[in-house]
Amino acid sequence: MEDRVDRVPNDPSPSDGGTLQCEGQEERIFMDYNATSPLDPAVIEAITEALREAWGNPSSNYLPGKKAKDIINQARENIARMVGGQADDIIFMSGGTEANNFVFHTAIKYFWDTLGQNGREDGPLTGDVALPHIISSSVEHDSIKLTAEHLLKMGRADLTFVPVSKVTGQVDIDDVMRAIKPTTCLISIMLANNETGVLMPVKEICSRVRELNQQRPAPRILMHSDAAQAIGKLRVDCQELGVDYLTIVGHKFYAPRIGALYVRGPGTTSPIFPMFFGGGQERNFRPGTENTPMIAGLGKAAELVNRNLSHYEAHLRQTRDYLEERLEAIFGKEKIHFNSHFEGSEILPNTCNVSILGTKLQGRQVLSHCRRLLASVGAACHSDRGDRPSHILLSCGIPPAVAASALRLSVGRGTTFQDVDLAVQDLREAVLQLEEHN
């Protein structure tokens, strides 16, 4: 079966499509792009050039340093354009986890500084002191969930996790608004869920909160969204969303393991407080000598998204739709349950969360019997949790037995229809093998 979408001229997609050659093994079909993506060849080239020619300290005035500074400035411009911001709004981070922690740190300090109680945030508080209140969803990435829970445990913040609807898989806007307290200083809702692919109503929540901020006394409620899964697959525009902060994660869109944080007018429109102190790099917001090669790679990946996003999205959607068609055709509609399908909700164009129904067809068992398919049962950071059903799927109302059989199949820019056919056939053979042993 041929790929239905025309290749982009000078297509920067991985040249090996969705297949990987492992030494001594058959070609593998990679369908775990929500966990990570390979480096795009153009990104590798940008990193290599930076390593070779821009090895100088970006703060230096000699040529290799100036070259490094130019690369960093261009990368900042590319990333800002990708998310609808200004270059000054972009602060480079080690990755999404640091960026998310950075936002929570800022929100807590902003709360105390606004109330004129500078320094009160540094340790557990006692008595009747009202703590800064944070709202998030029940299906966030662990770098949000565990950060918030740590602040609660240490007595540094009050916390509300708003459940998602079992009908839509989304947080309900009214539930978020009802959770707001006079002490609420931050609302952090992901843009797209990494397991179901469901898009969250971030724009609508921001609009409602913006109206509320105009009526209530300080501190105002800051808005943050972790956009790790959406960037590179869908158009993301911070101005349209209305967020104060947006987390950008490189390895989800064919860049290296580095990230960035969008801050709307850092230090002016939106507060920002450093977690580290050092030599003044990144305008003192995130000091430390810049990692020029990785920043070069992130900037190149953003440039590719700016140039090719419509092609990427169309290809991902067509390939994902074909994958779902083939799963239904091979297994039958009665044996397939799509955990990523929710009434009235949009989902990422590349994500298919599916359960193959049957006794002893747990997702891990099925994948362990696949010869070619490389995929996951959920978030990569939860891979140590054994056969327990995903708490994300359970939160969305998926029955435990169905959730235990879940497979998260996420396609990439280079995944072909032939890859899909091979992967589905591999799943069929694995299921037949398991059923024969039962």
Side-chain angles (χ1 to χ4, degrees):
M1 182 66 69
E2 291 295 320
D3 193 328
R4 293 181 189 172
V5 82
D6 291 336
R7 289 293 181 199
V8 182
N10 301 316
D11 184 8
S13 299
S15 57
D16 59 355
T19 61
L20 301 170
Q21 185 67 54
C22 302
E23 189 174 349
Q25 297 179 337
E26 294 182 80
E27 268 192 338
R28 298 300 186 98
I29 310 298
F30 184 70
M31 287 192 177
D32 203 16
Y33 288 89
N34 284 7
T36 199
S37 59
L39 293 184
D40 189 285
V43 170
I44 295 174
E45 184 178 341
I47 293 171
T48 303
E49 181 180 347
L51 285 166
R52 186 172 53 243
E53 299 181 15
W55 49 265
N57 190 314
S59 299
S60 303
N61 289 323
Y62 41 76
L63 185 60
K66 287 182 176 180
K67 221 173 169 67
K69 192 68 172 179
D70 288 344
I71 286 172
I72 291 168
N73 288 340
Q74 185 60 59
R76 207 184 305 274
E77 291 277 357
N78 290 343
I79 295 161
R81 182 181 167 204
M82 180 177 69
V83 297
Q86 303 296 318
D88 285 348
D89 297 334
I90 302 301
I91 301 168
F92 292 110
M93 299 272 162
S94 63
T97 294
E98 183 190 349
N100 289 340
N101 276 262
F102 197 101
V103 171
F104 278 65
H105 165 79
T106 284
I108 297 293
K109 184 162 178 53
Y110 164 72
F111 175 86
W112 292 116
D113 282 6
T114 301
L115 295 182
Q117 301 181 59
N118 194 2
R120 293 295 298 275
E121 79 280 4
D122 290 333
L125 300 167
T126 58
D128 296 327
V129 177
L131 294 173
H133 178 234
I134 295 170
I135 297 171
S136 193
S137 83
S138 63
V139 295
E140 297 292 321
H141 187 270
D142 273 357
S143 60
I144 295 289
K145 177 178 179 286
L146 297 183
T147 301
E149 289 177 344
H150 174 73
L151 291 170
L152 177 68
K153 181 180 178 181
M154 297 299 292
R156 294 184 56 200
D158 186 13
L159 174 64
T160 301
F161 283 125
V162 176
V164 293
S165 165
K166 290 176 170 51
V167 175
T168 66
Q170 297 178 322
V171 288
D172 184 271
I173 300 167
D174 289 334
D175 286 348
V176 173
M177 299 307 294
R178 279 191 291 267
I180 292 174
K181 301 179 181 181
T183 53
T184 301
C185 62
L186 175 68
I187 298 176
S188 179
I189 305 292
M190 64 186 0
L191 198 52
N193 186 262
N194 50 315
E195 292 193 29
T196 64
V198 169
L199 306 186
M200 298 294 173
V202 172
K203 178 180 177 180
E204 293 78 6
I205 294 170
C206 286
S207 178
R208 294 276 295 274
V209 169
R210 187 162 54 247
E211 292 176 6
L212 180 61
N213 276 333
Q214 293 172 356
Q215 304 165 16
R216 62 180 253 153
R220 73 181 174 93
I221 301 168
L222 304 172
M223 292 298 307
H224 167 244
S225 187
D226 181 345
Q229 291 297 337
I231 290 174
K233 302 167 189 170
L234 295 168
R235 180 171 172 268
V236 175
D237 189 315
C238 291
Q239 307 308 314
E240 287 185 9
L241 291 172
V243 292
D244 297 293
Y245 311 96
L246 188 91
T247 295
I248 300 162
V249 180
H251 74 99
K252 307 295 187 181
F253 62 101
Y254 295 78
R257 287 178 173 84
I258 186 176
L261 180 67
Y262 161 87
V263 182
R264 182 191 298 273
T268 54
T269 305
S270 300
I272 182 168
F273 299 101
M275 294 176 69
F276 312 123
F277 298 89
Q281 295 89 351
E282 291 298 284
R283 293 156 286 163
N284 273 319
F285 296 135
R286 204 279 187 179
T289 304
E290 300 91 338
N291 190 347
T292 305
M294 297 301 101
I295 291 172
L298 189 66
K300 175 56 73 171
E303 179 188 324
L304 296 176
V305 170
N306 293 335
R307 195 164 65 220
N308 300 313
L309 179 60
S310 61
H311 296 278
Y312 293 158
E313 183 179 352
H315 173 73
L316 294 174
R317 195 177 303 281
Q318 290 183 3
T319 307
R320 190 274 316 278
D321 289 350
Y322 180 69
L323 170 61
E324 294 188 348
E325 290 170 13
R326 294 307 301 153
L327 286 167
E328 285 191 341
I330 293 298
F331 292 102
K333 291 186 178 182
E334 70 286 345
K335 198 177 178 65
I336 288 289
H337 184 275
F338 290 113
N339 307 312
S340 46
H341 290 186
F342 291 90
E343 183 180 338
S345 294
E346 294 184 48
I347 62 174
L348 290 170
N350 79 317
T351 303
C352 169
N353 194 304
V354 61
S355 291
I356 303 171
L357 306 178
T359 57
K360 298 187 178 179
L361 292 182
Q362 287 88 357
R364 291 183 192 279
Q365 282 283 88
V366 172
L367 289 177
S368 71
H369 283 73
C370 287
R371 294 185 299 115
R372 290 175 171 237
L373 176 63
L374 299 176
S376 66
V377 298
C381 53
H382 297 161
S383 60
D384 61 343
R385 298 184 183 177
D387 288 328
R388 284 178 291 170
S390 160
H391 78 277
I392 301 292
L393 296 184
L394 296 178
S395 296
C396 295
I398 305 299
V402 177
S405 298
L407 304 170
R408 183 183 68 175
L409 307 177
S410 45
V411 302
R413 299 172 189 171
T415 309
T416 66
F417 280 22
Q418 182 181 19
D419 294 331
V420 170
D421 290 336
L422 290 170
V424 174
Q425 181 61 29
D426 200 22
L427 283 170
R428 180 175 180 272
E429 291 171 3
V431 168
L432 287 174
Q433 189 177 354
L434 285 166
E435 289 179 333
E436 284 175 4
H437 289 143
N438 291 335

